Amino acid sequence: MMSDTSTGDGAKESIPGKEFKKLGYSLFIAISKDKQECLCSYVPRQQGSMMTRDDLNGYLAAAGVKGVFNESVLNTFAVNAAAGQAQRNVVVATGIPPVNGIDGWLSYTVQPSVAAQSDGDDTAAIDLHQVQTFINVMPGDEIAHITSPTPGSAGKSVTGETIPPLPGKPLALKIGKNITVEDNGERLVASAAGRVCVASGEISVEEEYVVSGDVNFRVGSIVFNGIVEVRGDVLDDFSINATKGLRVTGNIGNCSIQSGGDISLCGMDGQGKGSIVCGGSIKAQFIHDCIVECAGDIIVEVELHNCIVRTLGRIIVNKGAIAGGSYTALGGIEAKKIGSMASVRTKLTVGVDYHDAEELERLMEELALNHKQSGEAGTLQEIEELRQKRAALTDRIMEIRSKVDERANPKVNVKGTLYDNSLLVVGMQNEEVKDPHDGPLSATENTIDSGLRYLSLTSLDVKAGDIEKAFILEYQKR
């Protein structure tokens, strides 16, 4: 016999089951298609006795129903049956549904380099320049865990049969370059610096990030453990931090640029606020109104204008001028022109580590203040304390000045013109240029008569110290 149940669209679905007929009634026990429900229907007759609870229990047992009975519903069903009421498709017992397994999944242990803005905080200041969410890693960083799929748990039908679950599927993920797999395939570890990328079912660590156009609001500021290449411009107020190197085909505006490796760019107009921090060397066509700190050489093709530049290498401007600003280079400076016809103030310091130069400037200021305070001291104790401090300052100044650095080359090369109002700090000598000097020439320290020597131009590969030794030997022969 079949029982009819209504579906959501008004149609009827037939459910197979078993019918029990007595003189006073008929009972139909049906099992749902998924075997998770037992449904009872009761039809009373005009003659004969009505069904009791014990009768109902016996019929359920005869139908093989062993599910979880709803005693309250059974009692109500039996009471209504005894009262001669018809009942249709009452769920009196349920099974235990299977719990399907969970598919394998990837859980990241590293965090994006730029935290996402909170959507829930209306008072939070949103920086529209920060739109990138790179997952940056270094060698040895744990990237993620792969969790294996779970088998799930079996269920039971209302007739006591075991219903197997559907097991979870393994994670379909290909391991790409610069990632090692540890702990029996469950732990992913970076083997190179870069960003974590997942594309076409493959996870990898990419060591280079290429921006096909400008760095703007669409791209956002960049923080990347690797090499960044920008095939366009970097617009004002965007920053780039690339640990291994940076290449910019176009120009850079008022931005903060930083890299642990080499930097190459067309040009940069920092508008007095832009900055470059470079752990390698810099190559550019021009740099204007910037603060630059560099560990290697700075090679500019056309012009350095109105910048503050400090480098542990050399500063070389091939075709144009260094005009306006302050420039400190441990390995020497070379340009076609120094200063300008408009006598713009230009300061060049060569042959000194800029860290030492900054400390020397601070120490000299402290020493000058110490002398002033000594003249105003009112007690012997104050005078003695100031004397001890002055001695410590003097010792530190002498220690810095006596340092020897093989990279040092206190030398300024001018291939064209050295203009007036240029201040040259060469080794221990300072000289204000009051009249233009025509090149080509090299300016070095004169340790015999003090001041500077203006000599025929020699390459920066020729050390000023070697030139001075020759002069000293010649002087001693006299």
Side-chain angles (χ1 to χ4, degrees):
M1 181 177 175
M2 308 289 281
S3 173
D4 292 333
T5 59
S6 295
T7 61
D9 58 3
K12 292 186 177 181
E13 179 184 6
S14 297
I15 301 177
K18 190 170 184 180
E19 185 176 20
F20 299 90
K21 291 184 177 181
K22 292 294 181 180
L23 182 61
Y25 58 88
S26 292
L27 176 69
F28 182 77
I29 299 177
I31 306 297
S32 64
K33 187 175 181 180
D34 62 2
K35 299 184 179 181
Q36 288 297 300
E37 291 182 338
C38 172
L39 302 91
C40 289
S41 297
Y42 180 79
V43 180
R45 306 296 183 195
Q46 291 296 326
Q47 297 180 359
S49 60
M50 297 295 101
M51 183 183 69
T52 66
R53 172 63 189 271
D54 290 339
D55 294 333
L56 177 59
N57 291 342
Y59 296 139
L60 290 170
V65 178
K66 301 176 182 178
V68 179
F69 292 103
N70 189 324
E71 295 296 330
S72 175
V73 172
L74 284 172
N75 288 334
T76 301
F77 190 91
V79 170
N80 290 339
Q85 295 181 15
Q87 300 173 78
R88 184 177 178 82
N89 293 328
V90 177
V91 178
V92 297
T94 56
I96 300 173
V99 178
N100 292 332
I102 300 173
D103 293 343
W105 75 92
L106 187 72
S107 56
Y108 288 103
T109 51
V110 290
Q111 299 298 317
S113 60
V114 178
Q117 299 287 349
S118 173
D119 294 332
D121 186 1
D122 294 335
T123 64
I126 297 176
D127 185 357
L128 297 178
H129 298 83
Q130 301 290 351
V131 299
Q132 295 283 1
T133 54
F134 288 138
I135 298 180
N136 278 310
V137 291
M138 296 297 289
D141 284 353
E142 181 180 276
I143 298 172
H145 281 275
I146 295 178
T147 302
S148 300
T150 61
S153 58
K156 290 284 186 182
S157 72
V158 290
T159 56
E161 298 169 309
T162 298
I163 302 176
L166 292 175
K169 298 177 182 178
L171 178 66
L173 183 68
K174 181 181 177 182
I175 306 302
K177 61 184 180 181
N178 300 321
I179 291 180
T180 58
V181 182
E182 301 179 0
D183 296 343
N184 297 319
E186 293 185 353
R187 184 168 174 261
L188 304 184
V189 178
S191 57
R195 63 173 178 143
V196 179
C197 294
V198 179
S200 301
E202 178 179 279
I203 185 170
S204 62
V205 173
E206 300 297 325
E207 297 178 88
E208 187 166 344
Y209 173 54
V210 178
V211 180
S212 59
D214 296 340
V215 173
N216 50 26
F217 285 105
R218 178 184 61 82
V219 176
S221 294
I222 298 171
V223 178
F224 181 63
N225 285 359
I227 297 173
V228 173
E229 179 179 354
V230 179
R231 297 173 181 172
D233 299 330
V234 182
L235 305 188
D236 287 346
D237 300 321
F238 290 93
S239 63
I240 299 178
N241 186 336
T243 59
K244 292 184 178 180
L246 172 63
R247 299 187 295 267
V248 180
T249 303
N251 295 321
I252 302 174
N254 173 15
C255 304
S256 173
I257 303 299
Q258 185 171 348
S259 176
D262 294 341
I263 296 175
S264 65
L265 62 146
C266 178
M268 181 167 179
D269 185 359
Q271 304 166 43
K273 297 179 182 179
S275 64
I276 301 175
V277 177
C278 178
S281 296
I282 298 173
K283 290 185 178 180
Q285 292 293 311
F286 67 89
I287 302 177
H288 293 171
D289 297 287
C290 291
I291 298 172
V292 181
E293 185 174 344
C294 182
D297 292 341
I298 299 174
I299 301 175
V300 177
E301 198 64 23
V302 179
E303 183 180 50
L304 272 172
H305 177 71
N306 201 31
C307 294
I308 298 174
V309 178
R310 298 169 294 181
T311 179
L312 299 178
R314 303 175 296 177
I315 298 175
I316 298 175
V317 178
N318 288 319
K319 297 179 180 179
I322 298 175
S326 174
Y327 306 83
T328 303
L330 179 62
I333 295 176
E334 178 175 294
K336 184 175 181 181
K337 298 177 182 179
I338 302 295
S340 71
M341 293 181 65
S343 302
V344 62
R345 181 68 168 177
T346 307
K347 179 180 179 181
L348 274 61
T349 303
V350 289
V352 62
D353 184 323
Y354 66 86
H355 301 99
D356 293 338
E358 291 168 357
E359 185 178 1
L360 272 175
E361 185 174 350
R362 178 182 60 80
L363 290 170
M364 294 302 291
E365 291 176 355
E366 290 187 25
L367 190 61
L369 178 61
N370 181 280
H371 282 293
K372 179 181 178 181
Q373 291 173 336
S374 296
E376 299 172 351
T379 66
L380 292 175
Q381 181 179 354
E382 289 177 344
I383 294 173
E384 177 59 21
E385 289 175 353
L386 289 167
R387 186 195 67 77
Q388 292 179 6
K389 184 176 181 180
R390 183 164 61 253
L393 290 171
T394 302
D395 289 344
R396 179 56 183 159
I397 290 171
M398 294 303 296
E399 179 184 350
I400 293 174
R401 285 180 168 174
S402 62
K403 285 175 65 174
V404 177
D405 193 320
E406 293 298 324
R407 300 169 296 174
N409 191 12
K411 184 178 184 180
V412 175
N413 282 354
V414 183
K415 294 184 286 185
T417 304
L418 173 61
Y419 289 100
D420 61 304
N421 203 25
S422 296
L423 174 62
L424 304 186
V425 182
V426 182
M428 301 290 290
Q429 302 297 320
N430 296 0
E431 182 167 303
E432 187 90 32
V433 179
K434 299 186 182 300
D435 297 303
H437 291 65
D438 291 329
L441 62 84
S442 293
T444 63
E445 181 181 9
N446 186 340
T447 61
I448 299 173
D449 300 322
S450 74
L452 300 183
R453 298 184 190 277
Y454 292 97
L455 309 170
S456 297
L457 181 69
T458 56
S459 168
L460 285 182
D461 293 332
V462 179
K463 292 293 187 71
D466 295 334
I467 296 173
E468 189 63 17
K469 286 178 183 177
F471 277 98
I472 293 172
L473 288 173
E474 183 66 25
Y475 178 79
Q476 291 173 346
K477 291 178 181 178
R478 296 175 185 175

